[in-house]
Amino acid sequence: SRLRRRSSGSRANQRARLANSRRLAAQSREDFERFPQRSLILATLAVESLKPHNDPLVASAEQALWDSLANCSGECIARHQDLVISASLSPDGKWLATGDVAGTINLWTVSRDGDAKLKIVLRGHTQGVVTLAWHEEWLVSGGQDSQLCIWRATQTMKEPLLVLSAGRSKSDQGAISKNDGISMVSIGRDGQWLAASTHESTYIWDFSVVRSMKEPKHGNRAPKVLRQNGVRAMSFSPNGKWLATAGGINDETLRIWRIDSSSNVAETVL
């Protein structure tokens, strides 16, 4: 009975999120002619609001985004074979990474005049790449397959330098649960810590160790697990010692986590 109520509540929450996405898409349509920038922001929110929960994409939201992007001008640099669902520009503006629903990442070099040229296609995910994050030349991708893939843009790689798997075993209690896709990734400005969020929790790895690697490795370095359901936003402080996470519909709290050099964590709930 308890499981049935929980399932029913989950479906109700999803219906509410889908309805909100349609509402934002409708508002985007209303502002299409008079306020094109506002229309684009609303259409983007209509699509992005569904990503943290891996909800199905609402057709009207997707169409509103396409239309508002075209209405605000812009230039198409090239196309993926599948729908692009994530993009991120490197801090120095020299690299652009784009991820699609099939798990493919295109890595582009960007010139000073804005022209982009495809350098390499990265294949490390089996499902959609929903989030991308940069630190210097390092790229971290998170997918619906519950994997984090770590790449180095300055190297021509056919496989990730490191794959943090989603498998759970007795010897690795800190791993991400299967079927709990990664919804967002963040890297501290100093490059010390890497954080990734799923529907259930947020996980932290020592990214400085990863950056010292020379050869590709497959495995699962045990992360620090921060428990908070439905994380929909997170950000490191400028000094990299604090992580802020914002809960979703089922956890409407803002939590501040202090992380020390031994990856111990102190939590404050606001």
Side-chain angles (χ1 to χ4, degrees):
S1 176
R2 181 180 301 176
L3 183 60
R4 189 179 297 111
R5 289 196 301 271
R6 182 180 301 174
S7 177
S8 177
S10 178
R11 288 194 299 270
N13 288 335
Q14 184 184 65
R15 287 194 296 269
R17 293 191 297 268
L18 295 176
N20 183 60
S21 178
R22 295 187 186 96
R23 179 182 61 82
L24 290 169
Q27 290 178 344
S28 173
R29 288 289 186 195
E30 291 179 5
D31 292 337
F32 184 78
E33 296 292 343
R34 294 185 58 193
F35 307 106
Q37 288 80 14
R38 184 191 299 175
S39 174
L40 176 57
I41 293 172
L42 289 168
T44 302
L45 288 173
V47 173
E48 290 292 322
S49 64
L50 302 176
K51 280 187 179 181
H53 307 278
N54 284 342
D55 290 332
L57 190 61
V58 173
S60 60
E62 182 182 6
Q63 189 60 51
L65 182 57
W66 279 108
D67 292 344
S68 57
L69 282 169
N71 193 38
C72 287
S73 73
E75 181 179 349
C76 180
I77 56 174
R79 295 184 180 273
H80 279 246
Q81 292 184 344
D82 293 278
L83 177 68
V84 176
I85 56 175
S86 59
S88 183
L89 190 66
S90 65
D92 61 8
K94 295 181 179 179
W95 303 94
L96 172 66
T98 54
D100 64 28
V101 295
T104 300
I105 301 169
N106 282 5
L107 188 60
W108 315 78
T109 55
V110 182
S111 63
R112 290 185 178 180
D113 58 7
D115 290 335
K117 182 179 180 181
L118 181 62
K119 178 189 178 183
I120 191 173
V121 177
L122 307 175
R123 304 183 189 277
H125 292 277
T126 58
Q127 297 182 43
V129 179
V130 298
T131 181
L132 297 159
W134 286 93
H135 176 72
E136 298 175 350
E137 76 272 24
W138 296 88
L139 173 66
V140 180
S141 58
Q144 293 171 329
D145 56 2
S146 304
Q147 290 189 342
L148 284 175
C149 292
I150 299 172
W151 317 82
R152 194 171 189 177
T154 53
Q155 295 180 353
T156 302
M157 296 185 295
K158 294 184 178 180
E159 61 177 323
L161 192 63
L162 179 66
V163 176
L164 299 173
S165 175
R168 181 183 292 272
S169 66
K170 292 181 179 179
S171 61
D172 190 7
Q173 296 299 318
I176 304 167
S177 302
K178 286 187 176 181
N179 300 321
D180 187 20
I182 294 170
S183 57
M184 64 190 69
V185 171
S186 181
I187 305 172
R189 186 179 298 180
D190 60 358
Q192 177 69 41
W193 303 107
L194 163 66
S197 285
T198 69
H199 299 169
E200 296 180 350
S201 306
T202 298
Y203 303 81
I204 297 177
W205 289 266
D206 187 342
F207 194 56
S208 63
V209 175
V210 175
R211 291 188 291 120
S212 66
M213 293 171 51
K214 301 294 184 182
E215 299 293 332
K217 290 185 179 180
H218 289 262
N220 207 350
R221 297 175 178 272
K224 187 70 178 178
V225 183
L226 313 181
R227 295 295 181 187
Q228 184 178 16
N229 293 332
V231 174
R232 61 179 177 180
M234 65 178 179
S235 180
F236 280 100
S237 63
N239 64 8
K241 296 181 179 180
W242 301 86
L243 177 68
T245 59
I249 294 176
N250 297 323
D251 185 356
E252 298 179 354
T253 60
L254 175 64
R255 297 172 189 250
I256 309 295
W257 312 83
R258 179 175 173 83
I259 311 163
D260 64 23
S261 58
S262 62
S263 76
N264 290 325
V265 175
E267 176 188 8
T268 301
V269 181
L270 302 179

